[in-house]
Amino acid sequence: MKRILPISKTFLLLALLSFTLIACTTSPTGRSQFMLVSPEQAISASKEAYVKTLKPLDDKGKIDNDPIVTKRVKLITGRIISQAIKQYPHTRNWQWSVKIIDDPETVNAWCMAGGKMAIYTGLINKVKPTDDELAQVMGHEISHALANHTAEKMSTQLATQIGMVALSVAVTDNDYSAVALSGAALAASMAIELPNSRTAEREADLMGIELAARAGYNPNAAATLWQKMAKVGGATPPEFFSTHPAPGNRQQTLRELAPKMMPYYKADIVRPVYPL
């Protein structure tokens, strides 16, 4: 005898399918994005995740404990944030923040939705970036937030969760009336650990090198940064590569982008610093 799903289950499955089909938006570069989590939801979850991520480190005295490094990072990042706000006015209301995590072995940096950032001392001490190169790191990370890449990765996680729930509904007698993203802060934390797609990386490269140039940092430093990154760690790639997949032609692509960014870099304009 053919099994008939209860109406509530049938409705849920159709709703989930419809939700998946319409959950699309467009990135700042015009790329179509799959979104089940809105940028606003990602920002809210990231605020909570940021506090939970940093608190145990702060309790151990591992946050912003070198005033010289902190001043340097905040100055560079503040100049880039000012340009980000100028290009994307809706980010003016973001609660921008950058923290320096004292971890000499970790070569990494990240930016959650809403401009919640961190950079590890391992990147600064091992890569030894110039100010121009450090600006490429922060511009790239900020661009991930501007392009809603956290929401995009959270959406992928949610889609997997929805698929599992839908399967459970179809094969069991459980009656689900709603599906929600549980543990949003955990999902936001996981999003910074998951690798970005190569498409997202190219997008952040393109947006980041432009933001850094507009902030007054030499775009040629984008390629030299990745040369240095490639040398760090020897046979073992730095952690930065685990969340920032780097195709072999990345340096070449950045070299080709640099001349196009030079007019922004050479522009005779006032470059304000966002207060951090």
Side-chain angles (χ1 to χ4, degrees):
M1 180 176 180
K2 185 176 180 181
R3 184 170 179 270
I4 300 176
L5 292 175
I7 292 177
S8 60
K9 294 181 180 180
T10 304
F11 177 79
L12 175 59
L13 292 174
L14 290 174
L16 291 174
L17 178 60
S18 299
F19 188 41
T20 301
L21 291 175
I22 64 174
C24 292
T25 187
T26 303
S27 77
T29 64
R31 175 176 64 88
S32 179
Q33 292 176 295
F34 170 72
M35 289 289 195
L36 294 180
V37 176
S38 71
E40 291 74 22
Q41 289 170 323
I43 289 172
S44 178
S46 292
K47 287 180 182 178
E48 183 180 350
Y50 195 61
V51 173
K52 289 183 176 180
T53 299
L54 296 180
K55 187 179 186 308
L57 295 168
D58 196 22
D59 291 343
K60 296 178 182 178
K62 292 183 176 294
I63 301 293
D64 293 350
N65 59 13
D66 186 328
I68 295 176
V69 172
T70 299
K71 181 179 179 180
R72 180 191 180 203
V73 170
K74 289 191 174 185
L75 174 61
I76 293 170
T77 305
R79 288 176 65 171
I80 297 172
I81 290 173
S82 291
Q83 296 303 315
I85 292 173
K86 183 176 180 180
Q87 299 302 311
Y88 306 93
H90 69 281
T91 66
R92 184 177 302 278
N93 296 324
W94 285 6
Q95 295 177 7
W96 293 92
S97 176
V98 62
K99 297 295 182 181
I100 297 84
I101 299 175
D102 185 10
D103 184 342
E105 297 304 316
T106 299
V107 181
N108 204 7
W110 44 261
C111 184
M112 292 180 173
K116 300 295 187 182
M117 289 170 273
I119 183 170
Y120 296 79
T121 56
L123 188 152
I124 296 170
N125 296 334
K126 291 191 175 186
V127 178
K128 294 181 171 32
T130 64
D131 285 357
D132 291 314
E133 290 166 344
L134 187 55
Q136 302 304 320
V137 173
M138 303 315 296
H140 179 95
E141 295 308 321
I142 287 171
S143 295
H144 278 308
L146 296 174
N148 298 317
H149 291 163
T150 298
E152 200 169 12
K153 286 192 285 185
M154 289 177 68
S155 295
T156 300
Q157 296 178 62
L158 179 56
T160 301
Q161 185 182 35
I162 287 176
M164 293 174 65
V165 171
L167 178 61
S168 177
V169 169
V171 300
T172 71
D173 291 326
N174 294 325
D175 186 13
Y176 293 86
S177 59
V179 176
L181 176 61
S182 61
L186 176 60
S189 296
M190 289 178 63
I192 65 172
E193 298 175 2
L194 294 172
N196 290 291
S197 68
R198 290 192 174 185
T199 299
E201 283 299 302
R202 286 193 295 269
E203 193 164 54
D205 279 347
L206 175 61
M207 295 171 63
I209 193 174
E210 180 177 333
L211 283 177
R214 288 180 180 275
Y217 295 102
N218 193 330
N220 289 305
T224 60
L225 167 70
W226 283 98
Q227 287 176 344
K228 288 184 177 181
M229 292 293 291
K231 293 178 181 177
V232 173
T236 304
E239 186 175 346
F240 197 74
F241 284 140
S242 70
T243 52
H244 299 74
N249 65 349
R250 189 172 203 165
Q251 292 180 31
Q252 182 60 35
T253 299
L254 290 169
R255 287 193 191 94
E256 293 173 356
L257 279 172
K260 301 175 184 178
M261 301 296 133
M262 291 304 288
Y264 300 128
Y265 169 57
K266 293 182 176 181
D268 185 15
I269 58 174
V270 176
R271 295 182 169 96
V273 179
Y274 182 90
L276 289 168

